[in-house]
């Protein structure tokens, strides 16, 4: 595999260099780099033109100028070069960390949400083929996929942000809205559950009544303005995760799995109170990351030591539950600063512009920083994720339906294996191979879509850097954007090749 990776990287370098060379030359000859100076009324136009020419080597032909830029980049990799300067004389390398970090936050969150939700929806619709649920999801998927990202962004800004902020002024849910939400959730639960009419009716009633009761309880406790998980909800959500993971993997009859993963979920409720003293306002992000990783590893070790003969699957399930519980602990701690954040934002916490609130940029309270970043990331992340979810759900559905008709699936069923085992262990892994290819190829498109989203939500990230550089023919920051985007695309395609052999052991990288 190492030889395969090295060979792919070697070939990718030449492909990357060829693409960068073409982009550099095409942009260099497409527009006049002195257009803004010529159109200005400055009395010293000639001196400004000469200064820019000397600053950016504009008296050198574009092909030769590309190799000057490339030499600086290669020198930067060994610590003796630079990314170059922009038309204002600013070092491009100093501009990149902030804009790249913001774009990667946006793209990473949107991609993870789209992959998880898209595959889950695709699998659910494939298992309920030609049902009302399948037709409804297909309609919504094609609708979202056909909508431009800027339209989805504007709709989310109007109804999710502004509407929810207005609701927080007086968080009282009208009876009509309460009944409508309950009916919608009931229909979704009924459609996903399937089965005979009696079972579907029970699922509908449980979903609708449960949703209405939950919303009434949240309203009575003023949960929308003072949210918290606490020990009770930590226990409920942890045990719910245990049941969901068990249903999807080994079933509810595997008692040892339930005991081990249930103990992991219970530990989250037990450790909730003492961890309040450890998760202070002054801790850093790395402490939170270390906490989540440590909790996940300890849960995995618990599954390894107490899993018995099925320890391979139980330790994986325990690690999943441990990761979810650790994330819930962090979310609960962030919720505790929600009232203070509401007061600081004038009871309008969901942000519609910018990547950060200036009044929290220099605060030492890590939880306020995380909450502020989350509220600013929410809308742009969902704008990109919704369209990708629609795409990935269609690919997942089609791929799983194709695999379910294979001979080895019929053989597995003929051997008497449970349908859960047939789908999750035999069919899904092979069905994910085409989806992996699509996700890897879609990374560049997601970053391109982020350009539009960043403009709508006034983010100063890579999209703004790209559009401003393209308008002024500012090649150094433009090429930095192209280099980062192309490198990420190459990297994700390499990861996809490696994942092929993980998903299907018959595939060998050689």
């Amino acid at each position: 595999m190492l030889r395969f990776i090295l060979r792919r990287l070697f070939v990718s370098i030449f492909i990357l260099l060829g693409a960068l060379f073409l982009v550099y030359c095409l942009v260099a000859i497409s527009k006049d780099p002195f257009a803004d100076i010529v159109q200005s009324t400055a009395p010293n136009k000639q001196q400004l033109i000469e200064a820019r020419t000397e600053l950016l080597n504009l008296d050198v032909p574009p092909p030769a100028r590309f190799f000057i830029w490339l030499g600086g980049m290669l020198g930067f990799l060994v610590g003796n070069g630079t990314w170059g300067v922009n038309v204002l004389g600013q070092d491009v390398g100093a501009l990149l960390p902030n804009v790249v970090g913001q774009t990667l936050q946006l793209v990473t969150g949107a991609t993870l949400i789209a992959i998880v939700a898209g595959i889950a929806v695709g699998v659910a619709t494939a298992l309920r083929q030609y049902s009302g649920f399948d037709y409804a999801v297909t309609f919504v998927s094609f609708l979202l996929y056909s909508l431009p990202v800027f339209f989805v962004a504007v709709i989310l800004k109007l109804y999710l942000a502004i509407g929810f902020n207005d609701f927080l002024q007086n968080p009282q849910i009208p009876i009509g809205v309460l009944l409508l939400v309950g009916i919608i959730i009931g229909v979704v639960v009924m459609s996903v559950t399937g089965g005979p009419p009696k079972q579907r009716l029970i699922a509908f009633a449980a979903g609708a009544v449960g949703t209405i009761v939950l919303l009434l309880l949240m309203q009575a406790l003023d949960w929308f303005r003072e949210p918290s998980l606490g020990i009770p909800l930590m226990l409920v959500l942890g045990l719910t995760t245990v049941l969901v993971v068990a249903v999807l993997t080994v079933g509810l009859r595997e008692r040892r799995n339930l005991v081990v993963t249930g103990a992991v979920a219970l530990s989250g409720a037990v450790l909730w109170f003492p961890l309040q003293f450890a998760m202070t306002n002054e801790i850093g992000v790395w402490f939170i990351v270390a906490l989540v990783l440590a909790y996940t590893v300890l849960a995995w070790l618990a599954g390894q030591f107490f899993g018995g003969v099925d320890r391979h699957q139980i330790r994986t399930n325990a690690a999943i539950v441990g990761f979810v519980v650790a994330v819930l602990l962090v979310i609960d701690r962030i919720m505790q600063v929600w009232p203070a954040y509401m007061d600081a934002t004038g009871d309008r916490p969901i942000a519609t512009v910018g990547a950060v609130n200036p009044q929290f940029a220099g605060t030492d309270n890590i939880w306020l920083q995380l909450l502020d970043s989350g509220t600013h990331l929410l809308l742009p992340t969902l704008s990109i994720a919704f369209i990708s979810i629609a795409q990935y759900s269609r690919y997942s559905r089609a791929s799983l339906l194709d695999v379910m008709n294979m001979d080895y699936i019929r053989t597995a069923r003929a051997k008497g294996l449970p349908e859960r085992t047939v789908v999750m262990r035999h069919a899904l892994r092979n069905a994910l191979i085409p989806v992996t290819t699509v996700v890897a190829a879609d990374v560049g498109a997601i970053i391109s879509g982020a350009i539009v989203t960043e403009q709508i939500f006034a983010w100063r990230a890579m999209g703004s850097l790209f559009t401003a550089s393209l308008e002024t023919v500012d090649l150094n920051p433009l090429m930095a954007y192209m280099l980062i985007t192309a490198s990420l695309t190459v990297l994700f395609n390499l990861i996809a090749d490696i994942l092929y052999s993980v998903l299907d052991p018959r595939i060998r990288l050689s």
Side-chain angles (χ1 to χ4, degrees):
M1 181 180 291
L2 179 61
R3 186 173 64 178
F4 167 81
I5 294 174
L6 293 176
R7 186 170 68 248
R8 282 295 305 271
L9 287 176
F10 181 75
V11 174
S12 298
I13 288 174
F14 287 97
I15 296 175
L16 189 61
L17 291 176
L20 293 175
F21 177 78
L22 289 176
V23 170
Y24 193 100
C25 294
L26 290 174
V27 174
I29 64 177
S30 63
K31 291 179 66 178
D32 182 8
F34 306 109
D36 58 328
I37 299 178
V38 173
Q39 295 172 4
S40 69
T41 58
N44 58 339
K45 290 183 180 180
Q46 188 59 38
Q47 289 83 354
L48 293 175
I49 290 176
E50 292 175 358
R52 182 172 294 182
T53 301
E54 181 179 358
L55 178 67
L56 302 177
N57 297 316
L58 296 178
D59 54 342
V60 179
R65 206 188 319 154
F66 168 79
F67 288 100
I68 295 176
W69 172 82
L70 182 61
M73 284 302 308
L74 294 176
F76 174 81
L77 295 177
V78 297
N80 192 28
T82 177
W83 290 80
V85 296
N86 61 7
V87 293
L88 300 178
Q90 299 171 322
D91 183 14
V92 175
L95 302 175
L96 287 178
N98 185 43
V99 297
V100 172
Q102 292 184 7
T103 297
L104 288 181
Q105 287 181 42
L106 178 60
V107 171
T108 302
T111 303
L112 291 177
I113 293 173
I115 292 173
V116 174
I119 292 176
V121 171
V123 171
T125 53
L127 298 179
R128 297 288 181 268
Q129 187 182 18
Y130 303 136
S131 64
F133 175 71
D134 184 21
Y135 287 127
V137 171
T138 300
F139 171 77
V140 173
S141 297
F142 280 112
L143 178 63
L144 287 174
Y145 190 66
S146 63
L147 293 176
V149 66
F150 65 84
F151 182 80
V152 176
V154 172
I155 293 297
L156 288 176
K157 181 183 288 191
L158 287 175
Y159 294 100
L160 183 59
I162 299 177
F164 185 71
N165 285 336
D166 292 339
F167 167 75
L168 288 177
Q169 307 301 314
N170 182 27
Q172 299 295 319
I173 307 175
I175 297 298
V177 175
L178 199 64
L179 293 176
L180 179 61
V181 173
I183 292 173
I184 292 174
I185 298 300
V187 171
V188 172
V189 173
M190 177 184 67
S191 302
V192 175
T193 303
K198 182 179 179 180
Q199 180 178 334
R200 293 162 63 88
L201 185 60
I202 294 175
F204 170 79
V209 174
T211 301
I212 293 173
V213 171
L214 178 62
L215 290 176
L216 288 175
L217 185 61
M218 293 169 67
Q219 179 177 285
L221 297 175
D222 199 19
W223 195 88
F224 295 103
R225 297 181 62 89
E226 297 182 2
S228 175
L229 295 181
I231 295 177
L233 279 180
M234 282 293 304
L235 188 59
V236 170
L237 294 176
L239 293 179
T240 301
T241 304
V242 169
L243 295 178
V244 171
V245 172
V247 168
L248 293 177
T249 55
V250 298
L252 297 178
R253 295 183 179 180
E254 183 59 51
R255 183 171 300 178
R256 185 181 290 271
N257 175 76
L258 293 177
V259 171
V260 174
T261 55
V264 173
L266 181 62
S267 67
V270 172
L271 294 176
W272 178 88
F273 183 75
L275 282 177
Q276 303 304 307
F277 299 96
M279 295 189 292
T280 62
N281 296 337
E282 292 76 22
I283 65 173
V285 175
W286 289 112
F287 178 89
I288 299 174
V289 174
L291 173 65
V292 174
L293 290 178
Y295 210 98
T296 305
V297 171
L298 290 175
W300 186 91
L301 292 175
Q304 173 70 17
F305 288 125
F306 302 106
V309 294
D310 294 329
R311 65 170 57 92
H312 175 73
Q313 183 62 60
I314 293 177
R315 70 191 182 192
T316 302
N317 293 352
I320 295 173
V321 174
F323 174 80
V324 173
V325 169
V327 171
L328 289 175
L329 288 168
V330 174
I331 292 175
D332 176 81
R333 186 62 183 84
I334 294 175
M335 283 181 173
Q336 295 178 25
V337 300
W338 178 262
Y341 187 78
M342 289 256 309
D343 293 337
T345 56
D347 289 344
R348 305 192 69 83
I350 307 301
T352 57
V353 294
V356 65
N357 192 324
Q359 63 179 314
F360 299 113
T363 182
D364 294 331
N365 192 325
I366 183 64
W367 308 110
L368 277 175
Q369 291 182 10
L370 291 175
L371 180 57
D372 184 58
S373 298
T375 56
H376 284 81
L377 275 169
L378 179 64
L379 295 185
T381 298
L382 292 180
S383 300
I384 300 174
F386 277 157
I387 296 176
S388 297
I389 288 173
Q391 178 184 5
Y392 297 159
S393 67
R394 295 298 88 199
Y395 281 111
S396 302
R397 177 184 182 276
S399 181
L400 184 59
L401 288 176
D402 185 54
V403 170
M404 294 294 282
N405 292 322
M406 296 291 183
D407 290 339
Y408 70 91
I409 298 296
R410 285 192 288 268
T411 302
R413 284 172 172 160
K415 289 165 61 178
L417 293 178
E419 187 66 14
R420 177 190 60 256
T421 304
V422 173
V423 174
M424 300 301 296
R425 292 191 180 182
H426 296 275
L428 185 57
R429 290 184 63 172
N430 284 333
L432 289 178
I433 294 177
V435 180
T436 303
T437 305
V438 173
V439 172
D442 203 36
V443 170
I446 292 177
I447 297 178
S448 300
I451 295 176
V452 180
T453 308
E454 290 170 9
Q455 293 292 322
I456 295 173
F457 293 102
W459 273 50
R460 300 294 300 173
M462 288 180 64
S464 301
L465 180 72
F466 173 78
T467 54
S469 303
L470 193 60
E471 290 176 358
T472 59
V473 199
D474 197 356
L475 284 174
N476 287 333
L478 177 67
M479 294 306 297
Y481 171 88
M482 297 301 301
L483 177 61
I484 294 171
T485 305
S487 299
L488 286 175
T489 303
V490 170
L491 175 63
F492 273 87
N493 277 278
L494 180 61
I495 293 174
D497 288 335
I498 297 173
L499 285 177
Y500 293 155
S501 62
V502 175
L503 294 171
D504 189 348
R506 296 173 299 177
I507 298 176
R508 291 289 177 263
L509 303 179
S510 60

PDB file of all heavy atoms in Angstrom, residues 229-237 269:
ATOM      1  N   LEU A 229     -28.975  19.861  29.550  1.00  0.00           N
ATOM      2  CA  LEU A 229     -29.220  18.417  29.511  1.00  0.00           C
ATOM      3  C   LEU A 229     -29.310  17.861  30.918  1.00  0.00           C
ATOM      4  O   LEU A 229     -30.266  17.185  31.274  1.00  0.00           O
ATOM      5  CB  LEU A 229     -28.104  17.720  28.728  1.00  0.00           C
ATOM      6  CG  LEU A 229     -27.993  18.065  27.230  1.00  0.00           C
ATOM      7  CD1 LEU A 229     -26.853  17.284  26.599  1.00  0.00           C
ATOM      8  CD2 LEU A 229     -29.292  17.780  26.498  1.00  0.00           C
ATOM      9  N   GLY A 230     -28.306  18.153  31.722  1.00  0.00           N
ATOM     10  CA  GLY A 230     -28.319  17.656  33.086  1.00  0.00           C
ATOM     11  C   GLY A 230     -28.203  16.139  33.149  1.00  0.00           C
ATOM     12  O   GLY A 230     -28.082  15.454  32.130  1.00  0.00           O
ATOM     13  N   ILE A 231     -28.243  15.601  34.353  1.00  0.00           N
ATOM     14  CA  ILE A 231     -28.097  14.161  34.538  1.00  0.00           C
ATOM     15  C   ILE A 231     -29.267  13.385  33.925  1.00  0.00           C
ATOM     16  O   ILE A 231     -29.047  12.369  33.248  1.00  0.00           O
ATOM     17  CB  ILE A 231     -27.936  13.833  36.038  1.00  0.00           C
ATOM     18  CG1 ILE A 231     -26.618  14.432  36.553  1.00  0.00           C
ATOM     19  CG2 ILE A 231     -27.976  12.329  36.274  1.00  0.00           C
ATOM     20  CD1 ILE A 231     -26.393  14.223  38.036  1.00  0.00           C
ATOM     21  N   PRO A 232     -30.528  13.817  34.082  1.00  0.00           N
ATOM     22  CA  PRO A 232     -31.637  13.030  33.511  1.00  0.00           C
ATOM     23  C   PRO A 232     -31.558  12.890  31.994  1.00  0.00           C
ATOM     24  O   PRO A 232     -31.657  11.776  31.458  1.00  0.00           O
ATOM     25  CB  PRO A 232     -32.881  13.808  33.944  1.00  0.00           C
ATOM     26  CG  PRO A 232     -32.463  14.570  35.151  1.00  0.00           C
ATOM     27  CD  PRO A 232     -31.043  14.936  34.903  1.00  0.00           C
ATOM     28  N   LEU A 233     -31.374  14.014  31.292  1.00  0.00           N
ATOM     29  CA  LEU A 233     -31.323  13.936  29.836  1.00  0.00           C
ATOM     30  C   LEU A 233     -30.050  13.253  29.346  1.00  0.00           C
ATOM     31  O   LEU A 233     -30.059  12.587  28.305  1.00  0.00           O
ATOM     32  CB  LEU A 233     -31.423  15.338  29.231  1.00  0.00           C
ATOM     33  CG  LEU A 233     -32.833  15.922  29.110  1.00  0.00           C
ATOM     34  CD1 LEU A 233     -32.804  17.303  28.491  1.00  0.00           C
ATOM     35  CD2 LEU A 233     -33.739  14.991  28.310  1.00  0.00           C
ATOM     36  N   MET A 234     -28.947  13.416  30.070  1.00  0.00           N
ATOM     37  CA  MET A 234     -27.734  12.688  29.710  1.00  0.00           C
ATOM     38  C   MET A 234     -27.997  11.182  29.732  1.00  0.00           C
ATOM     39  O   MET A 234     -27.567  10.447  28.840  1.00  0.00           O
ATOM     40  CB  MET A 234     -26.604  13.036  30.684  1.00  0.00           C
ATOM     41  CG  MET A 234     -25.934  14.370  30.452  1.00  0.00           C
ATOM     42  SD  MET A 234     -25.008  14.436  28.899  1.00  0.00           S
ATOM     43  CE  MET A 234     -23.918  13.048  29.090  1.00  0.00           C
ATOM     44  N   LEU A 235     -28.709  10.735  30.754  1.00  0.00           N
ATOM     45  CA  LEU A 235     -29.014   9.308  30.869  1.00  0.00           C
ATOM     46  C   LEU A 235     -29.965   8.863  29.767  1.00  0.00           C
ATOM     47  O   LEU A 235     -29.750   7.808  29.144  1.00  0.00           O
ATOM     48  CB  LEU A 235     -29.616   9.034  32.248  1.00  0.00           C
ATOM     49  CG  LEU A 235     -29.833   7.569  32.625  1.00  0.00           C
ATOM     50  CD1 LEU A 235     -28.516   6.809  32.581  1.00  0.00           C
ATOM     51  CD2 LEU A 235     -30.467   7.456  33.997  1.00  0.00           C
ATOM     52  N   VAL A 236     -30.997   9.656  29.503  1.00  0.00           N
ATOM     53  CA  VAL A 236     -31.973   9.291  28.472  1.00  0.00           C
ATOM     54  C   VAL A 236     -31.316   9.240  27.095  1.00  0.00           C
ATOM     55  O   VAL A 236     -31.482   8.270  26.336  1.00  0.00           O
ATOM     56  CB  VAL A 236     -33.151  10.279  28.482  1.00  0.00           C
ATOM     57  CG1 VAL A 236     -34.046  10.054  27.274  1.00  0.00           C
ATOM     58  CG2 VAL A 236     -33.964  10.133  29.765  1.00  0.00           C
ATOM     59  N   LEU A 237     -30.559  10.275  26.756  1.00  0.00           N
ATOM     60  CA  LEU A 237     -29.919  10.316  25.436  1.00  0.00           C
ATOM     61  C   LEU A 237     -28.846   9.244  25.300  1.00  0.00           C
ATOM     62  O   LEU A 237     -28.675   8.654  24.227  1.00  0.00           O
ATOM     63  CB  LEU A 237     -29.317  11.699  25.202  1.00  0.00           C
ATOM     64  CG  LEU A 237     -30.329  12.853  25.081  1.00  0.00           C
ATOM     65  CD1 LEU A 237     -29.609  14.189  24.950  1.00  0.00           C
ATOM     66  CD2 LEU A 237     -31.239  12.634  23.876  1.00  0.00           C
ATOM     67  N   ALA A 269     -23.722   9.995  32.818  1.00  0.00           N
ATOM     68  CA  ALA A 269     -24.575  10.633  33.814  1.00  0.00           C
ATOM     69  C   ALA A 269     -23.884  10.717  35.172  1.00  0.00           C
ATOM     70  O   ALA A 269     -24.032  11.699  35.900  1.00  0.00           O
ATOM     71  CB  ALA A 269     -25.887   9.857  33.942  1.00  0.00           C
TER      72      ALA A 269
END
